[in-house]
Amino acid sequence: MELFQRGSNVSIIADSSLPSSSKVAAGLINPVVFKRLLPSWRADELLPFLQQKYKTLETLLEEKFIHSISITKVIENQHELETWGKRAHAEDIRDFISEKITHTNPQGFKSVEVLGYGEVLQSGYLDTHLFLNAAARFFKEKGCFNDHEFSYQELQLTAKGAIYQEKEYDSVVFCEGFFVHRNPYFSFLPFKPVKGDVLTISIEGYQNKNVLNKNFFLLPLVDGAYKLGATYDWKNLNFEPGEEAKNDLLNRLKDYVSGEVKVLKHEAGVRPSSEDRRPIIGPHPHHPQLHVFNGLGTKGVMLAPFFAAQLAHHLLDGALIDQEVCIERFYHLKK
Ligand SMILES: Cc1cc2nc3c(=O)[nH]c(=O)nc-3n(C[C@H](O)[C@H](O)[C@H](O)COP(=O)(O)OP(=O)(O)OC[C@H]3O[C@@H](n4cnc5c(N)ncnc54)[C@H](O)[C@@H]3O)c2cc1C
């Protein structure tokens, strides 16, 4: 989209029969790392950028997919409470958390141990399904969306660029998420993927217009259901919903809600995390016409707009890619 909006002639190849992490994601935008109550990486730059970007895309695609929603953190011990109080005034995070601790319990929430709720500011979520479907529809109408599996064997590199299925291109950008491990050009990169399961559930008697965060999150959906997530599994790297993960999520929730919980949907995806937990973006060390855009890990919704703009700026104007995300940091791994 970024390249298209800058006037490039793009061709998109995406196989809708392959699984996608984005379609499973809850799409949360959370600028806070709760563990140490710090802002998430570069949140101050990413947030204003993504707000503006997704709003522009809503207008272009004529769909509403970006939503503001508060995330409330359940505070259960004195240490957490004091840390929140202290950190709320710190310069690095005061724009992202409210100093006020609220005590209103969501309807249907068992709050026996709860000391209060801390509110995250500037949070929200992207309806990833709606967004991706709208974007695919848009590109199909433009005639540049091809629904098939990209065949690496059919890619021919030339002195100027590349030829794929008889068409010439200046550059190819691979945004394959977890499937980068199948890519003969970029599989040398150090990824550390992590599977995640997420449930769509109904909870009898529970009502909350905010996202609730404990050692799980509960995201309210427009139809009255909730998304319950998410697990982290570094071993079973597949897109199959797992029974163990489902039970784990339901067990985490069990102590907090008394109403009957019904599982309406169970999905799983593999987050394309990198070893150093930063995106990996830029040209192949030996083939400058091939680029990678990957490593979005757990934060695709926040990272993608900002770094897609950066890559487009690099491709079209030769602008530099931030060192922290640039693929160059891994060139030594390619023999
Ligand atoms: C359970 C779960 C919850 C999550 N929650 C959040 C959240 O709340 N907020 C957030 O920001 N992030 C979240 N994430 C992370 C988020 O999903 C990722 O950061 C993001 O989706 C990565 O996007 P991507 O485009 O790199 O990969 P993907 O979304 O997986 O897209 C890659 C696409 O490339 C296609 N593809 C690959 N190879 C080929 C080929 N050879 N030919 C054709 N097509 C190909 C795949 O089919 C896929 O559609 C979550 C992830 C999971 C699993």
Side-chain angles (χ1 to χ4, degrees):
M1 191 61 91
E2 193 64 47
L3 286 166
F4 175 83
Q5 290 185 307
R6 287 170 191 242
S8 296
N9 191 358
V10 294
S11 184
I12 299 164
I13 297 159
D15 186 352
S16 59
S17 70
L18 278 174
S20 140
S21 183
S22 301
K23 288 196 174 158
V24 171
L28 287 171
I29 297 161
N30 178 8
V32 176
V33 181
F34 288 127
K35 219 175 187 176
R36 285 175 294 149
L37 220 50
L38 290 169
S40 67
W41 182 67
R42 294 178 73 167
D44 54 340
E45 283 171 280
L46 302 180
L47 278 189
F49 196 93
L50 72 87
Q51 288 296 351
Q52 193 259 330
K53 189 77 215 176
Y54 289 123
K55 286 256 149 59
T56 311
L57 291 176
E58 279 187 336
T59 309
L60 179 74
L61 302 174
E62 297 174 344
E63 289 276 10
K64 170 96 191 114
F65 36 74
I66 185 88
H67 303 274
S68 284
I69 190 167
S70 287
I71 299 178
T72 44
K73 171 86 178 97
V74 180
I75 296 179
E76 278 188 323
N77 64 55
Q78 204 56 38
H79 174 70
E80 274 177 5
L81 193 64
E82 281 166 18
T83 310
W84 192 283
K86 268 189 225 149
R87 292 286 295 136
H89 299 282
E91 203 181 332
D92 61 343
I93 202 163
R94 66 177 173 218
D95 289 343
F96 301 128
I97 59 174
S98 164
E99 62 179 304
K100 209 171 115 210
I101 299 287
T102 58
H103 297 278
T104 316
N105 298 316
Q107 199 177 320
F109 190 67
K110 283 200 273 176
S111 50
V112 193
E113 309 276 330
V114 176
L115 299 182
Y117 301 90
E119 190 191 345
V120 175
L121 308 171
Q122 301 192 49
S123 51
Y125 78 97
L126 174 75
D127 185 333
T128 53
H129 240 277
L130 198 62
F131 169 53
L132 289 172
N133 287 342
R137 208 167 48 236
F138 175 85
F139 286 118
K140 272 176 197 159
E141 277 165 20
K142 303 271 172 229
C144 55
F145 190 94
N146 308 282
D147 192 341
H148 70 252
E149 184 162 354
F150 183 84
S151 157
Y152 305 103
Q153 289 86 341
E154 287 181 64
L155 181 69
Q156 203 186 318
L157 303 185
T158 62
K160 276 190 177 158
I163 299 173
Y164 183 71
Q165 297 188 336
E166 292 167 13
K167 273 178 85 177
E168 279 186 48
Y169 299 91
D170 296 328
S171 306
V172 181
V173 182
F174 292 102
C175 326
E176 301 153 306
F178 170 65
F179 294 102
V180 65
H181 70 86
R182 295 185 187 174
N183 185 318
Y185 300 101
F186 290 105
S187 55
F188 74 93
L189 292 167
F191 285 95
K192 202 178 170 194
V194 48
K195 181 180 176 181
D197 283 55
V198 67
L199 304 176
T200 305
I201 58 172
S202 63
I203 315 170
E204 194 192 2
Y206 176 80
Q207 263 184 27
N208 192 353
K209 59 179 182 18
N210 298 329
V211 179
L212 196 85
N213 185 289
K214 184 60 210 44
N215 56 347
F216 56 81
F217 65 77
L218 265 183
L219 164 72
L221 303 175
V222 279
D223 59 1
Y226 292 85
K227 273 214 171 174
L228 169 65
T231 54
Y232 288 80
D233 178 352
W234 285 266
K235 285 197 193 109
N236 302 299
L237 298 178
N238 59 61
F239 288 74
E240 299 303 317
E243 201 56 22
E244 206 178 308
K246 179 174 100 178
N247 293 334
D248 177 16
L249 287 170
L250 292 174
N251 275 331
R252 288 189 220 174
L253 182 68
K254 185 172 89 228
D255 295 335
Y256 293 93
V257 294
S258 38
E260 189 192 355
V261 175
K262 279 194 191 141
V263 177
L264 309 175
K265 206 196 277 176
H266 181 184
E267 297 164 287
V270 186
R271 305 170 183 91
S273 298
S274 68
E275 211 173 73
D276 64 5
R277 302 173 73 222
R278 295 286 173 259
I280 306 181
I281 297 168
H284 188 275
H286 307 147
H287 309 295
Q289 66 274 60
L290 303 183
H291 291 74
V292 70
F293 184 83
N294 212 314
L296 302 180
T298 59
K299 293 261 177 204
V301 176
M302 279 176 72
L303 296 167
F306 186 87
F307 288 107
Q310 200 169 98
L311 179 61
H313 196 23
H314 170 76
L315 287 168
L316 303 179
D317 316 314
L320 290 177
I321 297 168
D322 282 356
Q323 273 186 350
E324 266 180 300
V325 302
C326 186
I327 184 181
E328 280 181 15
R329 70 194 190 279
F330 299 121
Y331 277 180
H332 64 281
L333 299 176
K334 183 76 188 163
K335 300 281 177 299

